[in-house]
Short mmCIF file of all heavy atoms in Angstrom, two decimals:
data_model
loop_
_atom_site.label_atom_id
_atom_site.label_comp_id
_atom_site.label_asym_id
_atom_site.label_seq_id
_atom_site.Cartn_x
_atom_site.Cartn_y
_atom_site.Cartn_z
N LEU A 1 101.82 120.87 108.65
CA LEU A 1 101.67 119.33 108.67
C LEU A 1 101.83 118.94 107.24
O LEU A 1 101.77 119.64 106.29
CB LEU A 1 100.44 118.89 109.31
CG LEU A 1 99.06 119.38 108.68
CD1 LEU A 1 98.71 118.58 107.38
CD2 LEU A 1 97.94 119.09 109.65
N ASP A 2 102.29 117.68 107.07
CA ASP A 2 102.41 117.02 105.84
C ASP A 2 101.26 116.21 105.49
O ASP A 2 100.92 115.23 106.16
CB ASP A 2 103.72 116.08 105.88
CG ASP A 2 103.99 115.44 104.62
OD1 ASP A 2 103.25 115.61 103.63
OD2 ASP A 2 105.07 114.67 104.60
N PRO A 3 100.62 116.61 104.47
CA PRO A 3 99.31 115.86 104.06
C PRO A 3 99.61 114.44 103.65
O PRO A 3 98.76 113.54 103.64
CB PRO A 3 98.75 116.63 102.88
CG PRO A 3 99.89 117.36 102.25
CD PRO A 3 100.82 117.63 103.51
N THR A 4 100.92 114.04 103.28
CA THR A 4 101.21 112.64 102.94
C THR A 4 101.57 111.94 104.32
O THR A 4 101.90 110.67 104.10
CB THR A 4 102.37 112.61 101.97
OG1 THR A 4 103.53 113.13 102.52
CG2 THR A 4 101.97 113.38 100.62
N GLU A 5 101.58 112.53 105.46
CA GLU A 5 101.99 111.85 106.66
C GLU A 5 100.97 110.59 106.81
O GLU A 5 99.85 110.74 106.60
CB GLU A 5 101.72 112.78 107.82
CG GLU A 5 101.96 112.06 109.18
CD GLU A 5 101.57 113.03 110.30
OE1 GLU A 5 101.78 114.27 110.15
OE2 GLU A 5 101.04 112.54 111.39
N ARG A 6 101.55 109.48 107.14
CA ARG A 6 100.78 108.28 107.29
C ARG A 6 100.37 108.11 108.78
O ARG A 6 101.11 108.34 109.72
CB ARG A 6 101.57 107.01 106.90
CG ARG A 6 102.39 107.15 105.63
CD ARG A 6 101.59 107.02 104.34
NE ARG A 6 101.01 105.74 104.26
CZ ARG A 6 100.21 105.45 103.22
NH1 ARG A 6 99.81 106.27 102.32
NH2 ARG A 6 99.66 104.20 103.04
N VAL A 7 99.03 107.67 108.86
CA VAL A 7 98.56 107.37 110.21
C VAL A 7 98.04 105.92 110.19
O VAL A 7 97.54 105.48 109.14
CB VAL A 7 97.54 108.33 110.66
CG1 VAL A 7 98.05 109.73 110.92
CG2 VAL A 7 96.33 108.46 109.67
N VAL A 8 97.96 105.33 111.33
CA VAL A 8 97.42 103.95 111.43
C VAL A 8 96.04 104.08 112.16
O VAL A 8 96.10 104.66 113.26
CB VAL A 8 98.26 103.02 112.09
CG1 VAL A 8 97.55 101.65 112.28
CG2 VAL A 8 99.60 102.80 111.25
N VAL A 9 95.00 103.74 111.57
CA VAL A 9 93.65 103.84 112.24
C VAL A 9 93.21 102.37 112.56
O VAL A 9 93.06 101.55 111.58
CB VAL A 9 92.62 104.48 111.31
CG1 VAL A 9 91.28 104.65 111.93
CG2 VAL A 9 93.14 105.87 110.80
N SER A 10 92.92 102.07 113.77
CA SER A 10 92.65 100.81 114.16
C SER A 10 91.05 100.66 114.26
O SER A 10 90.38 101.69 114.44
CB SER A 10 93.23 100.33 115.48
OG SER A 10 92.51 101.01 116.52
N PRO A 11 90.45 99.46 114.13
CA PRO A 11 89.08 99.29 114.24
C PRO A 11 88.60 99.78 115.72
O PRO A 11 87.38 100.20 115.79
CB PRO A 11 88.83 97.76 114.12
CG PRO A 11 89.98 97.43 113.23
CD PRO A 11 91.15 98.25 113.75
N ALA A 12 89.40 99.80 116.65
CA ALA A 12 89.01 100.28 117.99
C ALA A 12 88.70 101.72 117.98
O ALA A 12 88.01 102.23 118.91
CB ALA A 12 90.01 99.96 119.04
N GLU A 13 89.20 102.50 116.99
CA GLU A 13 88.95 103.92 116.95
C GLU A 13 87.65 104.19 116.09
O GLU A 13 87.31 105.46 115.94
CB GLU A 13 90.04 104.61 116.30
CG GLU A 13 91.45 104.54 116.93
CD GLU A 13 92.66 105.07 116.10
OE1 GLU A 13 92.65 106.37 116.07
OE2 GLU A 13 93.31 104.30 115.53
N ALA A 14 86.94 103.22 115.67
CA ALA A 14 85.82 103.42 114.79
C ALA A 14 84.67 104.19 115.47
O ALA A 14 84.42 103.93 116.66
CB ALA A 14 85.30 102.09 114.24
N SER A 15 84.26 105.17 114.74
CA SER A 15 82.98 105.92 115.21
C SER A 15 81.79 105.45 114.34
O SER A 15 81.94 104.86 113.32
CB SER A 15 83.18 107.40 114.97
OG SER A 15 84.16 107.86 115.76
N LEU A 16 80.56 105.81 114.91
CA LEU A 16 79.42 105.48 114.27
C LEU A 16 79.41 106.01 112.84
O LEU A 16 79.89 107.12 112.55
CB LEU A 16 78.26 106.13 114.98
CG LEU A 16 76.96 105.95 114.38
CD1 LEU A 16 76.41 104.45 114.38
CD2 LEU A 16 75.79 106.82 115.04
N GLY A 17 78.91 105.22 111.92
CA GLY A 17 78.83 105.60 110.40
C GLY A 17 78.95 104.52 109.70
O GLY A 17 79.70 103.46 109.98
N GLY A 18 78.30 104.34 108.57
CA GLY A 18 78.12 103.14 107.78
C GLY A 18 79.09 102.94 106.72
O GLY A 18 78.99 101.94 105.99
N GLN A 19 80.18 103.82 106.57
CA GLN A 19 81.08 103.62 105.47
C GLN A 19 82.51 104.12 105.90
O GLN A 19 82.61 104.66 106.93
CB GLN A 19 80.63 104.47 104.31
CG GLN A 19 80.62 106.00 104.57
CD GLN A 19 79.55 106.48 105.37
OE1 GLN A 19 78.35 105.89 105.35
NE2 GLN A 19 79.61 107.60 106.07
N GLY A 20 83.40 103.82 105.08
CA GLY A 20 84.80 104.32 105.41
C GLY A 20 85.57 103.50 106.34
O GLY A 20 85.38 102.22 106.48
N LEU A 21 86.32 104.18 107.21
CA LEU A 21 87.16 103.52 108.21
C LEU A 21 86.42 102.81 109.28
O LEU A 21 87.03 101.95 109.83
CB LEU A 21 88.14 104.57 108.72
CG LEU A 21 89.08 105.21 107.67
CD1 LEU A 21 89.84 106.38 108.27
CD2 LEU A 21 90.05 104.17 107.18
N CYS A 22 85.25 103.02 109.45
CA CYS A 22 84.47 102.39 110.54
C CYS A 22 84.15 100.82 110.17
O CYS A 22 83.77 100.18 111.11
CB CYS A 22 83.16 103.06 110.88
SG CYS A 22 81.81 102.89 109.64
N ILE A 23 84.33 100.56 108.94
CA ILE A 23 83.96 99.15 108.63
C ILE A 23 85.08 98.24 108.43
O ILE A 23 84.97 97.06 108.18
CB ILE A 23 83.08 99.03 107.33
CG1 ILE A 23 83.94 99.54 106.09
CG2 ILE A 23 81.84 99.81 107.51
CD1 ILE A 23 83.17 99.34 104.85
N THR A 24 86.26 98.72 108.73
CA THR A 24 87.55 97.85 108.67
C THR A 24 87.62 96.89 109.79
O THR A 24 87.16 97.12 110.83
CB THR A 24 88.78 98.76 108.59
OG1 THR A 24 89.05 99.41 109.76
CG2 THR A 24 88.74 99.68 107.32
N GLU A 25 88.16 95.73 109.51
CA GLU A 25 88.39 94.69 110.52
C GLU A 25 89.82 94.73 111.03
O GLU A 25 90.12 94.15 112.02
CB GLU A 25 88.01 93.31 109.97
CG GLU A 25 86.58 93.16 109.51
CD GLU A 25 85.57 93.00 110.65
OE1 GLU A 25 86.00 92.66 111.84
OE2 GLU A 25 84.44 93.41 110.37
N ASP A 26 90.66 95.36 110.32
CA ASP A 26 92.11 95.43 110.67
C ASP A 26 92.57 96.87 110.56
O ASP A 26 91.98 97.67 109.97
CB ASP A 26 92.97 94.56 109.56
CG ASP A 26 92.39 93.19 109.46
OD1 ASP A 26 92.49 92.45 110.59
OD2 ASP A 26 92.05 92.73 108.40
#
């Protein structure tokens, strides 16, 4: 795999946790 591969993470994918990708609105 390519570590520079881009992924899109949506707020609908958020898991419990108080920081990082779970707090995004977009």
Side-chain angles (χ1 to χ4, degrees):
L1 58 77
D2 178 1
T4 65
E5 176 185 328
R6 312 286 294 176
V7 294
V8 176
V9 182
S10 78
E13 298 174 73
S15 293
L16 175 69
Q19 66 284 333
L21 296 171
C22 73
I23 64 171
T24 64
E25 299 288 335
D26 302 302

